[in-house]
Amino acid sequence: MTSAAAFTDLEPGALAALACGAHNDPFSVLGPHGGQVRVFAPGALGVDVLDETGARHPLAAQDPGLYAGPAPWARPGDGSSYRLAIRWPDAEQITADPYAFGPLLDDAALRELAQGSWRRAAGELGARLARVDGVDGLRCAVWAPNAARVAVVGDFNGWDARRHAMRLRHAAGVWEIFIPGVAPGARYKYALTTRDGVQLLKADPMARRSEAPPATASVVDDPAPYAWRDDTWMQERGVRQAPEAPISIYEVHAASWAPSDGGECAWDRLAARLPAYAKSLGFTHVELMPVMEHPFGGSWGYQPLGMFAPSARLGPPAAFARFVDACHAAGIGVILDWVPAHFPDDPHGMARFDGSALYEYEDPREGYHPDWHTMVYNLGRTEVKAFMIASAMHWLERFHVDGLRVDAVASMLYRDYSRAPGQWIPNRYGGRENLEAVQFLQELNSAVRAEHPDAIMVAEESTAWPGVTAPADQGGLGFHYKWNMGWMHDTLHYMAHDPIHRKYRHHDVTFGMVYAYSERFILPLSHDEVVHGKGSLLGKMPGDAWQRLANLRAYLGFMWAHPGKKLLFMGGELAQPAEWNHDAHLDWNLLDAPGHRGMQRLVADLNALYAELPALHRLDADPAGFSWAVMDDHDNSVLAFVRTDGAQQLLAVCNFTPVARHDYRVGVPRHGRWVERINTDAVCYGGSGMGNQGGANTRDTHAHGHPQALSLTLPPLSALFLLHLGQGDS
């Protein structure tokens, strides 16, 4: 057979389809066939095939870009049996032939991908550097079952969609190819042709690295594993994150926490400062607003497209690993915000990925989110569910993160979330519950518990959905903790009132205890409360400058005494006057002012006491750890309660008016000395210095169901923490 015959025996139209980039089965045409080698290299000056000795054999040009010639030593399915020497106008390229390699995915992988295996999705899909048949290169696989053709384009082929067209594996709807010679750092995308003949240029949904926005290409990641130094932390974190442990979380927007010097990698800059800062204030964890790659910075990461890629705005993946490692070295856990509810419709992303509604629901009544103008994941598809679980596992496994805070869970659970009547589709039983999302969350949390039993999953769920933190095998969603949004809204509403009116809203600060043990809660003062015109925490407080600071100190004292783990958004510890601006950094100059420096010291002292005293954390999720002392003093806006672990007894007393209360009687469960451990009105915090001279002794006076009581001075706008010394129950 002559080289010309090597192409003329093809079916009609195949040559034209190759030349214009429309052939959908290039492996049937290119590569070794019947003792011949066929190559499509548009723009090349010539192509030689090299035999196993390295001898060159020129291939004849048939049509522009098409080359063929005899190569009896070329073995189909064995990419090591020959090489190509392609002469480009500026250089010669020696490479293996992508079309000499056999199928990459075996039958078991295809079957399990189709069945929705997250392990297979994590291990088989995406672009990964690999060695195949002894050849180094890029192993690509992408799920696009409804595409007519898919090719890989990138720096390595001049972004020419006619080259590196992929093989379709029909059993799973996955396209695959191995591209020899690709190195880390190369940019790439998928060029997909829809059934209607429209070409789409898409980033890799499974990419582990991306270009920094506004650029949108995926980047071939360096596969070299990070050398972790956190063995001790990883062995201990299960105890540190248990319901009985003190957990205090510092929420951070990584890009705006501190100013940039314009040169150093942001993750390395944060690693040098943030872990030590969080530790100095007594926080146990930092929680990062989404660091997954996202096109619009103003979304703060909550509209991500790179569900496997740390944002290139902050540095490469290895730098993010260094940051996590630095946190662990400082004894600080790392929680990531993670968004499985929705994704943006940017053209390079997952929306209508292969020309069809692949990742999202087809019907906009299910697949479009009216609040955020985003697409809703179709979690009823096994492949989509596997993609999402694989993403969660990726952050836990590759980057050693200690937990995920799952964003917008309520929007996932209800089909009518933010939808008017007639604008949503009921479930198969006619109800509003999203049964697919419920099943997904249960499977997600079960998988995390099985694979990483010492990691935690946290739900941002704003409704009263039952069993958010109940085990999945008992009908719950399976989370470890839930943000207590009701407590946050009620108490902030209370604090915003002028103290003279607070007696009419007293239930706002007591109602949280009605349901405090229905879930395992985290008390969040998050970023959502200091944006969009809501003002800062300090800005919500009424009164003059001194009273605003005093109100906030009292509120933080109440929060740290209240059952539940703690979360404070960055800047709250500084009493930042202005609401958060993601385009600016925190106003660290505030620390030059005594009142703001005092607030920072108070947060540190609250965290230290919270960690020191088991009474304040061990029974956070157990009603035996809490009892009211005073809950009905509406007129004075005073409340008092006892926290205990069964051994220690700590009394918290809050006065939410600017009026000092003298000789205020509080019944307590033990007689003897109660020492004042924290007084938010102390001079060192910026207060007036009024108090109880270090503590008080009980009097044999019945009060609040106890035979002894304390007579206390309650400073204006304050919270007191008094710890019982010695033994002796009443």
Side-chain angles (χ1 to χ4, degrees), residues 553 594-595 598-599 601-602 605 678-687:
R553 290 194 302 268
M599 191 71 69
R601 178 172 177 176
L602 173 63
D605 288 352
I678 285 182
N679 174 354
T680 65
D681 190 51
V683 173
C684 62
Y685 303 138

Side-chain angles (χ1 to χ4, degrees), residues 576-596:
Q576 187 157 298
E579 70 175 29
W580 172 56
N581 176 6
H582 70 274
D583 287 327
H585 57 81
L586 296 184
D587 188 359
W588 296 102
N589 292 328
L590 289 169
L591 294 176
D592 294 334
H596 297 275

Side-chain angles (χ1 to χ4, degrees), residues 615-680:
L616 283 175
H617 62 255
R618 185 168 291 166
L619 297 184
D620 263 340
D622 187 335
F626 177 94
S627 62
W628 282 112
V630 179
M631 70 168 293
D632 57 356
D633 190 356
H634 304 74
D635 289 339
N636 291 316
S637 296
V638 171
L639 55 85
F641 51 86
V642 173
R643 297 295 309 280
T644 181
D645 67 335
Q648 288 179 335
Q649 300 273 341
L650 182 131
L651 174 69
V653 187
C654 300
N655 175 15
F656 287 120
T657 70
V659 178
R661 309 290 176 188
H662 298 283
D663 195 23
Y664 191 94
R665 188 176 302 171
V666 181
V668 290
R670 290 180 177 173
H671 63 80
R673 180 71 174 171
W674 291 72
V675 64
E676 197 172 76
R677 294 297 305 271
I678 285 182
N679 174 354
T680 65

Side-chain angles (χ1 to χ4, degrees), residues 349-636:
M350 292 177 286
R352 303 201 72 82
F353 184 77
D354 62 359
S356 69
L358 193 61
Y359 287 89
E360 70 272 32
Y361 289 98
E362 177 70 50
D363 193 314
R365 293 175 296 172
E366 298 177 290
Y368 179 76
H369 202 296
D371 280 357
W372 303 308
H373 308 292
T374 50
M375 315 311 295
V376 178
Y377 284 108
N378 181 356
L379 296 171
R381 295 197 72 153
T382 57
E383 297 92 342
V384 175
K385 189 161 54 177
F387 168 80
M388 297 307 302
I389 295 177
S391 168
M393 293 298 183
H394 174 73
W395 299 98
L396 295 170
E397 292 173 0
R398 183 179 182 190
F399 294 110
H400 285 204
V401 302
D402 303 293
L404 300 175
R405 176 267 197 185
V406 181
D407 182 63
V409 170
S411 75
M412 302 172 67
L413 293 175
Y414 300 97
R415 287 178 159 268
D416 63 345
Y417 186 90
S418 288
R419 298 181 188 275
Q423 296 302 308
W424 59 281
I425 299 176
N427 63 34
R428 61 180 177 270
Y429 301 113
R432 60 195 285 254
E433 300 81 7
N434 189 327
L435 303 179
E436 305 99 289
V438 171
Q439 183 181 12
F440 162 73
L441 292 170
Q442 290 174 329
E443 292 185 17
L444 166 70
N445 290 323
S446 296
V448 170
R449 287 175 183 268
E451 299 294 316
H452 301 281
D454 51 358
I456 57 173
M457 298 293 287
V458 180
E460 186 221 14
E461 202 284 308
S462 56
T463 74
W465 184 280
V468 172
T469 57
D473 59 8
Q474 297 178 21
L477 297 183
F479 286 95
H480 297 83
Y481 299 100
K482 171 182 170 174
W483 275 21
N484 194 335
M485 310 291 281
W487 176 91
M488 177 268 297
H489 285 299
D490 288 348
T491 57
L492 280 177
H493 186 253
Y494 175 84
M495 294 302 300
H497 279 79
D498 188 289
I500 198 171
H501 299 301
R502 285 176 178 166
K503 63 183 178 181
Y504 305 112
R505 306 298 307 180
H506 195 72
H507 62 279
D508 283 340
V509 284
T510 61
F511 182 68
M513 288 311 303
V514 172
Y515 59 88
Y517 303 106
S518 60
E519 306 280 1
R520 289 186 297 276
F521 281 122
I522 292 173
L523 308 181
L525 294 180
S526 75
H527 68 276
D528 275 329
E529 308 317 309
V530 294
V531 291
H532 299 321
K534 296 178 185 177
S536 66
L537 289 180
L538 183 67
K540 298 177 193 296
M541 303 295 132
D544 58 25
W546 188 93
Q547 288 184 349
R548 285 198 299 272
L549 286 166
N551 268 299
L552 183 54
R553 290 194 302 268
Y555 181 48
L556 293 180
F558 168 67
M559 173 180 173
W560 256 257
H562 196 284
K565 310 310 181 187
K566 324 301 176 189
L567 180 142
L568 182 66
F569 182 57
M570 65 182 200
E573 81 280 14
L574 307 179
Q576 187 157 298
E579 70 175 29
W580 172 56
N581 176 6
H582 70 274
D583 287 327
H585 57 81
L586 296 184
D587 188 359
W588 296 102
N589 292 328
L590 289 169
L591 294 176
D592 294 334
H596 297 275
R597 174 70 71 176
M599 191 71 69
Q600 185 190 54
R601 178 172 177 176
L602 173 63
V603 170
D605 288 352
L606 287 170
N607 274 329
L609 192 67
Y610 173 61
E612 174 194 342
L613 301 183
L616 283 175
H617 62 255
R618 185 168 291 166
L619 297 184
D620 263 340
D622 187 335
F626 177 94
S627 62
W628 282 112
V630 179
M631 70 168 293
D632 57 356
D633 190 356
H634 304 74
D635 289 339
N636 291 316

Side-chain angles (χ1 to χ4, degrees), residues 80-232:
S80 65
S81 62
Y82 66 95
R83 294 288 187 273
L84 300 175
I86 306 174
R87 295 185 297 282
W88 302 105
D90 56 350
E92 182 178 70
Q93 177 188 15
I94 306 295
T95 180
D97 185 351
Y99 297 100
F101 295 86
L104 303 174
L105 298 173
D106 59 27
D107 291 341
L110 295 172
R111 181 174 61 254
E112 292 171 23
L113 282 169
Q115 292 170 347
S117 166
W118 66 263
R119 295 179 189 277
R120 287 294 192 178
E124 307 291 354
L125 298 181
R128 308 282 185 268
L129 291 174
R131 172 165 288 192
V132 178
D133 295 345
V135 178
D136 293 325
L138 188 66
R139 186 179 185 273
C140 301
V142 61
W143 178 56
N146 299 309
R149 180 182 183 272
V150 183
V152 184
V153 296
D155 294 333
F156 39 82
N157 62 14
W159 298 85
D160 188 342
R162 296 173 297 174
R163 301 173 57 194
H164 298 124
M166 306 174 80
R167 173 196 285 120
L168 174 61
R169 307 302 302 279
H170 292 272
V174 172
W175 300 76
E176 63 174 20
I177 194 172
F178 178 72
I179 306 175
V182 179
R187 300 174 303 154
Y188 72 99
K189 284 187 177 181
Y190 294 115
L192 302 97
T193 304
T194 71
R195 299 286 174 85
D196 298 329
V198 177
Q199 188 173 98
L200 307 172
L201 204 57
K202 297 284 190 176
D204 184 357
M206 302 286 293
R208 299 189 178 192
R209 187 175 177 183
S210 300
E211 278 190 293
T216 59
S218 301
V219 176
V220 176
D221 190 25
D222 188 338
Y226 178 77
W228 290 95
R229 300 170 295 174
D230 62 350
D231 287 351
T232 300

